[in-house]
mmCIF file of all heavy atoms in Angstrom:
data_model
loop_
_atom_site.group_PDB
_atom_site.id
_atom_site.type_symbol
_atom_site.label_atom_id
_atom_site.label_comp_id
_atom_site.label_asym_id
_atom_site.label_seq_id
_atom_site.Cartn_x
_atom_site.Cartn_y
_atom_site.Cartn_z
ATOM 1 N N ALA W 183 -10.328 30.046 -16.890
ATOM 2 C CA ALA W 183 -9.259 29.270 -17.521
ATOM 3 C C ALA W 183 -8.992 30.017 -18.803
ATOM 4 O O ALA W 183 -9.966 30.665 -19.501
ATOM 5 C CB ALA W 183 -9.786 27.837 -17.846
ATOM 6 N N PHE W 184 -7.692 30.014 -19.235
ATOM 7 C CA PHE W 184 -7.336 30.695 -20.371
ATOM 8 C C PHE W 184 -6.185 29.921 -21.114
ATOM 9 O O PHE W 184 -5.446 29.133 -20.605
ATOM 10 C CB PHE W 184 -6.964 32.175 -20.062
ATOM 11 C CG PHE W 184 -5.728 32.210 -19.257
ATOM 12 C CD1 PHE W 184 -4.387 32.281 -19.739
ATOM 13 C CD2 PHE W 184 -5.840 32.114 -17.850
ATOM 14 C CE1 PHE W 184 -3.392 32.437 -18.889
ATOM 15 C CE2 PHE W 184 -4.731 32.197 -17.029
ATOM 16 C CZ PHE W 184 -3.461 32.338 -17.569
ATOM 17 N N THR W 186 -2.617 29.313 -23.113
ATOM 18 C CA THR W 186 -1.165 29.769 -23.203
ATOM 19 C C THR W 186 -0.580 28.950 -24.338
ATOM 20 O O THR W 186 -1.279 28.226 -25.019
ATOM 21 C CB THR W 186 -0.349 29.485 -21.868
ATOM 22 O OG1 THR W 186 -0.009 28.187 -21.904
ATOM 23 C CG2 THR W 186 -1.058 29.915 -20.673
ATOM 24 N N THR W 188 1.521 26.758 -24.130
ATOM 25 C CA THR W 188 1.808 25.331 -23.690
ATOM 26 C C THR W 188 0.578 24.608 -23.473
ATOM 27 O O THR W 188 0.210 23.703 -24.267
ATOM 28 C CB THR W 188 2.648 25.542 -22.430
ATOM 29 O OG1 THR W 188 1.938 26.122 -21.386
ATOM 30 C CG2 THR W 188 4.100 25.955 -22.702
ATOM 31 N N VAL W 189 -0.194 24.840 -22.389
ATOM 32 C CA VAL W 189 -1.576 24.235 -22.121
ATOM 33 C C VAL W 189 -2.448 25.245 -21.590
ATOM 34 O O VAL W 189 -1.954 26.471 -21.384
ATOM 35 C CB VAL W 189 -1.382 23.188 -21.107
ATOM 36 C CG1 VAL W 189 -0.449 21.996 -21.638
ATOM 37 C CG2 VAL W 189 -0.911 23.652 -19.765
ATOM 38 N N TYR W 190 -3.626 24.997 -21.305
ATOM 39 C CA TYR W 190 -4.637 25.986 -20.807
ATOM 40 C C TYR W 190 -4.375 26.111 -19.294
ATOM 41 O O TYR W 190 -4.046 25.122 -18.693
ATOM 42 C CB TYR W 190 -6.157 25.450 -20.930
ATOM 43 C CG TYR W 190 -6.668 25.973 -22.308
ATOM 44 C CD1 TYR W 190 -6.287 25.530 -23.490
ATOM 45 C CD2 TYR W 190 -7.638 26.974 -22.279
ATOM 46 C CE1 TYR W 190 -6.897 25.894 -24.726
ATOM 47 C CE2 TYR W 190 -8.305 27.446 -23.383
ATOM 48 C CZ TYR W 190 -7.819 26.954 -24.611
ATOM 49 O OH TYR W 190 -8.342 27.528 -25.831
ATOM 50 N N GLY W 191 -4.320 27.303 -18.831
ATOM 51 C CA GLY W 191 -4.078 27.613 -17.394
ATOM 52 C C GLY W 191 -5.384 27.898 -16.616
ATOM 53 O O GLY W 191 -6.424 28.443 -17.191
ATOM 54 N N LEU W 192 -5.396 27.649 -15.410
ATOM 55 C CA LEU W 192 -6.580 27.854 -14.462
ATOM 56 C C LEU W 192 -6.209 29.074 -13.691
ATOM 57 O O LEU W 192 -5.371 29.028 -12.585
ATOM 58 C CB LEU W 192 -6.764 26.700 -13.566
ATOM 59 C CG LEU W 192 -8.213 26.529 -12.991
ATOM 60 C CD1 LEU W 192 -9.213 26.517 -13.992
ATOM 61 C CD2 LEU W 192 -8.181 25.396 -12.023
ATOM 62 N N GLY W 193 -6.657 30.298 -14.144
ATOM 63 C CA GLY W 193 -6.100 31.413 -13.624
ATOM 64 C C GLY W 193 -6.870 32.247 -12.567
ATOM 65 O O GLY W 193 -8.080 32.110 -12.467
ATOM 66 N N ILE W 205 -8.335 28.072 -6.880
ATOM 67 C CA ILE W 205 -7.688 27.191 -7.751
ATOM 68 C C ILE W 205 -7.471 25.733 -7.218
ATOM 69 O O ILE W 205 -7.729 24.747 -7.751
ATOM 70 C CB ILE W 205 -6.360 27.798 -8.185
ATOM 71 C CG1 ILE W 205 -6.514 29.024 -8.999
ATOM 72 C CG2 ILE W 205 -5.501 26.729 -8.980
ATOM 73 C CD1 ILE W 205 -5.203 29.642 -9.330
ATOM 74 N N ALA W 208 -10.815 23.919 -6.942
ATOM 75 C CA ALA W 208 -11.260 23.392 -8.276
ATOM 76 C C ALA W 208 -10.517 22.316 -8.800
ATOM 77 O O ALA W 208 -11.201 21.316 -9.356
ATOM 78 C CB ALA W 208 -11.247 24.624 -9.257
ATOM 79 N N LYS W 209 -9.211 22.296 -8.657
ATOM 80 C CA LYS W 209 -8.420 21.235 -9.215
ATOM 81 C C LYS W 209 -8.370 19.945 -8.313
ATOM 82 O O LYS W 209 -8.061 18.867 -8.742
ATOM 83 C CB LYS W 209 -6.985 21.727 -9.372
ATOM 84 C CG LYS W 209 -6.729 22.503 -10.696
ATOM 85 C CD LYS W 209 -5.267 23.011 -10.760
ATOM 86 C CE LYS W 209 -4.352 21.846 -11.032
ATOM 87 N NZ LYS W 209 -4.392 21.395 -12.424
ATOM 88 N N ARG W 211 -6.214 20.093 -5.889
ATOM 89 C CA ARG W 211 -4.687 20.144 -5.913
ATOM 90 C C ARG W 211 -4.100 20.101 -4.478
ATOM 91 O O ARG W 211 -4.547 20.742 -3.684
ATOM 92 C CB ARG W 211 -4.241 21.546 -6.541
ATOM 93 C CG ARG W 211 -2.771 21.799 -6.710
ATOM 94 C CD ARG W 211 -2.464 23.070 -7.465
ATOM 95 N NE ARG W 211 -1.109 23.437 -7.708
ATOM 96 C CZ ARG W 211 -0.470 23.087 -8.770
ATOM 97 N NH1 ARG W 211 -1.081 22.526 -9.774
ATOM 98 N NH2 ARG W 211 0.768 23.597 -8.922
ATOM 99 N N ASN W 215 1.684 21.995 -3.338
ATOM 100 C CA ASN W 215 2.083 22.076 -4.678
ATOM 101 C C ASN W 215 2.080 23.622 -5.085
ATOM 102 O O ASN W 215 0.871 24.014 -5.278
ATOM 103 C CB ASN W 215 1.308 21.192 -5.584
ATOM 104 C CG ASN W 215 1.839 21.103 -7.003
ATOM 105 O OD1 ASN W 215 2.834 21.673 -7.328
ATOM 106 N ND2 ASN W 215 1.230 20.209 -7.777
ATOM 107 N N PRO W 216 3.209 24.247 -5.186
ATOM 108 C CA PRO W 216 3.018 25.733 -5.449
ATOM 109 C C PRO W 216 2.354 26.064 -6.788
ATOM 110 O O PRO W 216 2.338 25.301 -7.736
ATOM 111 C CB PRO W 216 4.489 26.164 -5.342
ATOM 112 C CG PRO W 216 5.216 25.081 -4.677
ATOM 113 C CD PRO W 216 4.577 23.798 -4.998
ATOM 114 N N LEU W 217 2.039 27.322 -6.949
ATOM 115 C CA LEU W 217 1.429 27.864 -8.195
ATOM 116 C C LEU W 217 2.483 28.684 -8.886
ATOM 117 O O LEU W 217 3.417 29.227 -8.428
ATOM 118 C CB LEU W 217 0.180 28.714 -7.968
ATOM 119 C CG LEU W 217 -0.850 28.116 -7.140
ATOM 120 C CD1 LEU W 217 -2.005 29.066 -6.822
ATOM 121 C CD2 LEU W 217 -1.473 26.928 -8.067
ATOM 122 N N ILE W 218 2.396 28.797 -10.261
ATOM 123 C CA ILE W 218 3.194 29.576 -11.146
ATOM 124 C C ILE W 218 2.512 30.990 -11.351
ATOM 125 O O ILE W 218 1.287 30.925 -11.788
ATOM 126 C CB ILE W 218 3.582 28.880 -12.478
ATOM 127 C CG1 ILE W 218 4.368 27.733 -12.173
ATOM 128 C CG2 ILE W 218 4.338 29.890 -13.381
ATOM 129 C CD1 ILE W 218 4.621 26.842 -13.414
ATOM 130 N N HIS W 220 1.969 34.189 -13.653
ATOM 131 C CA HIS W 220 2.175 34.580 -15.094
ATOM 132 C C HIS W 220 2.075 36.087 -15.107
ATOM 133 O O HIS W 220 1.235 36.706 -14.504
ATOM 134 C CB HIS W 220 1.075 33.945 -15.869
ATOM 135 C CG HIS W 220 1.180 32.501 -16.021
ATOM 136 N ND1 HIS W 220 1.074 31.617 -14.946
ATOM 137 C CD2 HIS W 220 1.377 31.677 -17.087
ATOM 138 C CE1 HIS W 220 1.128 30.401 -15.396
ATOM 139 N NE2 HIS W 220 1.382 30.299 -16.591
ATOM 140 N N ALA W 293 -1.936 33.699 -11.178
ATOM 141 C CA ALA W 293 -1.588 32.275 -10.804
ATOM 142 C C ALA W 293 -2.269 31.322 -11.627
ATOM 143 O O ALA W 293 -3.559 31.459 -11.780
ATOM 144 C CB ALA W 293 -1.884 32.116 -9.268
ATOM 145 N N ALA W 294 -1.517 30.426 -12.242
ATOM 146 C CA ALA W 294 -2.265 29.596 -13.253
ATOM 147 C C ALA W 294 -1.576 28.165 -13.478
ATOM 148 O O ALA W 294 -0.681 28.124 -14.341
ATOM 149 C CB ALA W 294 -2.407 30.294 -14.515
ATOM 150 N N PRO W 295 -2.009 27.218 -12.703
ATOM 151 C CA PRO W 295 -1.610 25.795 -13.065
ATOM 152 C C PRO W 295 -2.399 25.372 -14.223
ATOM 153 O O PRO W 295 -3.308 26.035 -14.754
ATOM 154 C CB PRO W 295 -1.844 25.046 -11.857
ATOM 155 C CG PRO W 295 -3.111 25.647 -11.220
ATOM 156 C CD PRO W 295 -2.861 27.264 -11.626
ATOM 157 N N SER W 296 -2.179 24.121 -14.774
ATOM 158 C CA SER W 296 -2.948 23.512 -15.850
ATOM 159 C C SER W 296 -4.358 23.473 -15.362
ATOM 160 O O SER W 296 -4.686 23.260 -14.277
ATOM 161 C CB SER W 296 -2.332 22.309 -16.283
ATOM 162 O OG SER W 296 -2.278 21.392 -15.233
ATOM 163 N N ALA W 297 -5.291 23.660 -16.291
ATOM 164 C CA ALA W 297 -6.736 23.763 -16.102
ATOM 165 C C ALA W 297 -7.398 22.402 -16.077
ATOM 166 O O ALA W 297 -8.419 22.168 -16.809
ATOM 167 C CB ALA W 297 -7.374 24.745 -17.090
ATOM 168 N N ASN W 298 -6.942 21.428 -15.399
ATOM 169 C CA ASN W 298 -7.478 20.170 -15.315
ATOM 170 C C ASN W 298 -7.635 19.722 -13.845
ATOM 171 O O ASN W 298 -7.089 20.238 -12.984
ATOM 172 C CB ASN W 298 -6.518 19.086 -16.092
ATOM 173 C CG ASN W 298 -5.113 19.230 -15.495
ATOM 174 O OD1 ASN W 298 -4.412 20.046 -15.663
ATOM 175 N ND2 ASN W 298 -4.828 18.188 -14.715
ATOM 176 N N LYS W 299 -8.403 18.645 -13.688
ATOM 177 C CA LYS W 299 -8.461 18.118 -12.304
ATOM 178 C C LYS W 299 -7.117 17.443 -12.066
ATOM 179 O O LYS W 299 -6.396 16.884 -12.967
ATOM 180 C CB LYS W 299 -9.570 16.995 -12.267
ATOM 181 C CG LYS W 299 -10.908 17.637 -12.160
ATOM 182 C CD LYS W 299 -11.208 18.214 -10.771
ATOM 183 C CE LYS W 299 -12.639 18.615 -10.612
ATOM 184 N NZ LYS W 299 -12.924 19.394 -9.268
ATOM 185 N N SER W 300 -6.598 17.605 -10.797
ATOM 186 C CA SER W 300 -5.227 17.171 -10.525
ATOM 187 C C SER W 300 -5.170 15.509 -10.859
ATOM 188 O O SER W 300 -6.086 14.754 -10.490
ATOM 189 C CB SER W 300 -4.956 17.206 -9.053
ATOM 190 O OG SER W 300 -4.593 18.648 -8.765
ATOM 191 N N GLY W 301 -4.006 15.299 -11.517
ATOM 192 C CA GLY W 301 -3.763 13.831 -11.868
ATOM 193 C C GLY W 301 -4.216 13.539 -13.357
ATOM 194 O O GLY W 301 -3.656 12.604 -13.902
ATOM 195 N N LYS W 302 -5.093 14.263 -13.822
ATOM 196 C CA LYS W 302 -5.544 14.035 -15.222
ATOM 197 C C LYS W 302 -4.627 14.707 -16.366
ATOM 198 O O LYS W 302 -3.933 15.563 -15.958
ATOM 199 C CB LYS W 302 -7.021 14.453 -15.399
ATOM 200 C CG LYS W 302 -7.949 13.669 -14.639
ATOM 201 C CD LYS W 302 -9.388 14.131 -14.941
ATOM 202 C CE LYS W 302 -9.848 13.782 -16.334
ATOM 203 N NZ LYS W 302 -11.219 14.017 -16.615
ATOM 204 N N PRO W 303 -4.784 14.249 -17.499
ATOM 205 C CA PRO W 303 -3.965 14.872 -18.539
ATOM 206 C C PRO W 303 -4.322 16.380 -18.683
ATOM 207 O O PRO W 303 -5.526 16.776 -18.631
ATOM 208 C CB PRO W 303 -4.260 14.171 -19.820
ATOM 209 C CG PRO W 303 -4.793 12.834 -19.441
ATOM 210 C CD PRO W 303 -5.427 13.086 -18.145
ATOM 211 N N SER W 304 -3.354 17.200 -18.880
ATOM 212 C CA SER W 304 -3.497 18.651 -18.964
ATOM 213 C C SER W 304 -4.387 18.990 -20.300
ATOM 214 O O SER W 304 -4.204 18.271 -21.271
ATOM 215 C CB SER W 304 -2.242 19.358 -19.028
ATOM 216 O OG SER W 304 -1.459 19.076 -17.950
ATOM 217 N N PRO W 305 -5.226 20.026 -20.131
ATOM 218 C CA PRO W 305 -5.975 20.353 -21.499
ATOM 219 C C PRO W 305 -5.248 21.296 -22.372
ATOM 220 O O PRO W 305 -4.626 22.158 -21.911
ATOM 221 C CB PRO W 305 -7.163 21.024 -20.807
ATOM 222 C CG PRO W 305 -6.648 21.701 -19.612
ATOM 223 C CD PRO W 305 -5.534 20.802 -19.001
ATOM 224 N N THR W 306 -5.367 20.985 -23.644
ATOM 225 C CA THR W 306 -4.758 21.773 -24.752
ATOM 226 C C THR W 306 -5.848 22.470 -25.588
ATOM 227 O O THR W 306 -5.479 23.025 -26.571
ATOM 228 C CB THR W 306 -3.645 21.083 -25.555
ATOM 229 O OG1 THR W 306 -4.393 19.812 -26.095
ATOM 230 C CG2 THR W 306 -2.509 20.501 -24.676
ATOM 231 N N VAL W 311 -11.098 21.557 -21.065
ATOM 232 C CA VAL W 311 -11.136 22.425 -19.861
ATOM 233 C C VAL W 311 -12.643 22.179 -19.410
ATOM 234 O O VAL W 311 -12.867 21.944 -18.114
ATOM 235 C CB VAL W 311 -10.833 23.865 -20.035
ATOM 236 C CG1 VAL W 311 -11.105 24.623 -18.778
ATOM 237 C CG2 VAL W 311 -9.394 24.020 -20.468
ATOM 238 N N ASP W 314 -13.589 19.081 -17.477
ATOM 239 C CA ASP W 314 -13.242 18.996 -16.054
ATOM 240 C C ASP W 314 -13.723 20.071 -15.134
ATOM 241 O O ASP W 314 -13.996 19.878 -13.949
ATOM 242 C CB ASP W 314 -11.665 19.056 -16.106
ATOM 243 C CG ASP W 314 -10.946 17.783 -16.285
ATOM 244 O OD1 ASP W 314 -11.647 16.982 -16.863
ATOM 245 O OD2 ASP W 314 -9.828 17.709 -16.127
ATOM 246 N N MET W 315 -13.993 21.242 -15.739
ATOM 247 C CA MET W 315 -14.214 22.440 -14.925
ATOM 248 C C MET W 315 -15.677 23.096 -15.005
ATOM 249 O O MET W 315 -15.947 24.113 -14.298
ATOM 250 C CB MET W 315 -13.073 23.476 -15.177
ATOM 251 C CG MET W 315 -11.752 23.106 -14.803
ATOM 252 S SD MET W 315 -11.680 22.907 -12.992
ATOM 253 C CE MET W 315 -10.160 21.933 -12.813
ATOM 254 N N VAL W 332 2.913 20.730 -24.072
ATOM 255 C CA VAL W 332 3.469 20.309 -22.821
ATOM 256 C C VAL W 332 3.799 21.520 -22.117
ATOM 257 O O VAL W 332 4.174 22.587 -22.666
ATOM 258 C CB VAL W 332 4.652 19.313 -22.947
ATOM 259 C CG1 VAL W 332 4.264 18.129 -23.616
ATOM 260 C CG2 VAL W 332 5.829 20.045 -23.717
ATOM 261 N N GLU W 333 3.738 21.376 -20.733
ATOM 262 C CA GLU W 333 3.890 22.518 -19.783
ATOM 263 C C GLU W 333 5.311 23.132 -20.041
ATOM 264 O O GLU W 333 6.258 22.571 -20.504
ATOM 265 C CB GLU W 333 3.764 22.131 -18.352
ATOM 266 C CG GLU W 333 2.210 21.709 -18.114
ATOM 267 C CD GLU W 333 1.955 20.286 -18.477
ATOM 268 O OE1 GLU W 333 2.895 19.612 -19.094
ATOM 269 O OE2 GLU W 333 0.987 19.727 -18.069
ATOM 270 N N ARG W 348 11.610 20.783 -14.237
ATOM 271 C CA ARG W 348 10.537 20.060 -15.104
ATOM 272 C C ARG W 348 10.930 20.447 -16.532
ATOM 273 O O ARG W 348 11.058 21.599 -16.943
ATOM 274 C CB ARG W 348 9.301 20.585 -14.770
ATOM 275 C CG ARG W 348 8.019 19.981 -15.652
ATOM 276 C CD ARG W 348 6.758 20.562 -15.310
ATOM 277 N NE ARG W 348 6.554 21.952 -15.774
ATOM 278 C CZ ARG W 348 5.501 22.680 -15.432
ATOM 279 N NH1 ARG W 348 4.482 22.140 -14.693
ATOM 280 N NH2 ARG W 348 5.378 23.698 -16.053
ATOM 281 N N HIS W 386 0.930 12.446 -12.511
ATOM 282 C CA HIS W 386 0.424 13.428 -13.318
ATOM 283 C C HIS W 386 -0.058 12.788 -14.656
ATOM 284 O O HIS W 386 0.402 11.670 -15.018
ATOM 285 C CB HIS W 386 1.403 14.579 -13.649
ATOM 286 C CG HIS W 386 1.610 15.509 -12.509
ATOM 287 N ND1 HIS W 386 0.582 16.285 -11.935
ATOM 288 C CD2 HIS W 386 2.673 15.826 -11.909
ATOM 289 C CE1 HIS W 386 0.984 17.009 -10.996
ATOM 290 N NE2 HIS W 386 2.319 16.862 -10.967
ATOM 291 N N TYR W 387 -0.856 13.565 -15.385
ATOM 292 C CA TYR W 387 -1.134 13.312 -16.915
ATOM 293 C C TYR W 387 -1.712 11.878 -17.042
ATOM 294 O O TYR W 387 -1.643 11.273 -18.112
ATOM 295 C CB TYR W 387 0.180 13.433 -17.644
ATOM 296 C CG TYR W 387 1.083 14.468 -17.154
ATOM 297 C CD1 TYR W 387 2.391 14.128 -16.743
ATOM 298 C CD2 TYR W 387 0.684 15.756 -17.087
ATOM 299 C CE1 TYR W 387 3.258 15.028 -16.222
ATOM 300 C CE2 TYR W 387 1.609 16.698 -16.588
ATOM 301 C CZ TYR W 387 2.793 16.346 -16.252
ATOM 302 O OH TYR W 387 3.763 17.412 -15.710
ATOM 303 N N TYR W 454 -1.518 15.092 -24.844
ATOM 304 C CA TYR W 454 -2.618 15.123 -23.817
ATOM 305 C C TYR W 454 -3.991 14.963 -24.525
ATOM 306 O O TYR W 454 -4.896 14.331 -23.926
ATOM 307 C CB TYR W 454 -2.595 16.517 -23.019
ATOM 308 C CG TYR W 454 -1.302 16.737 -22.190
ATOM 309 C CD1 TYR W 454 -0.820 17.888 -22.057
ATOM 310 C CD2 TYR W 454 -0.789 15.555 -21.555
ATOM 311 C CE1 TYR W 454 0.337 18.031 -21.341
ATOM 312 C CE2 TYR W 454 0.312 15.816 -20.703
ATOM 313 C CZ TYR W 454 0.877 17.000 -20.554
ATOM 314 O OH TYR W 454 1.834 17.104 -19.830
ATOM 315 N N ARG W 458 -6.731 11.903 -23.502
ATOM 316 C CA ARG W 458 -7.964 12.134 -23.128
ATOM 317 C C ARG W 458 -8.951 11.346 -24.111
ATOM 318 O O ARG W 458 -10.141 11.027 -23.697
ATOM 319 C CB ARG W 458 -8.359 13.652 -23.145
ATOM 320 C CG ARG W 458 -7.827 14.385 -21.899
ATOM 321 C CD ARG W 458 -8.007 15.826 -21.906
ATOM 322 N NE ARG W 458 -7.653 16.546 -20.663
ATOM 323 C CZ ARG W 458 -8.605 16.703 -19.680
ATOM 324 N NH1 ARG W 458 -9.799 16.402 -19.838
ATOM 325 N NH2 ARG W 458 -8.164 17.244 -18.701
#
Side-chain angles (χ1 to χ4, degrees):
F184 62 94
T186 76
T188 57
V189 299
Y190 270 71
L192 199 62
I205 292 176
K209 283 179 66 72
R211 184 180 178 91
N215 193 355
L217 302 175
I218 296 174
H220 292 63
S296 56
N298 55 288
K299 286 290 186 179
S300 285
K302 293 186 66 175
S304 301
T306 55
V311 176
D314 282 7
M315 295 294 166
V332 293
E333 296 84 352
R348 181 180 72 186
H386 284 306
Y387 328 117
Y454 294 143
R458 284 178 173 265

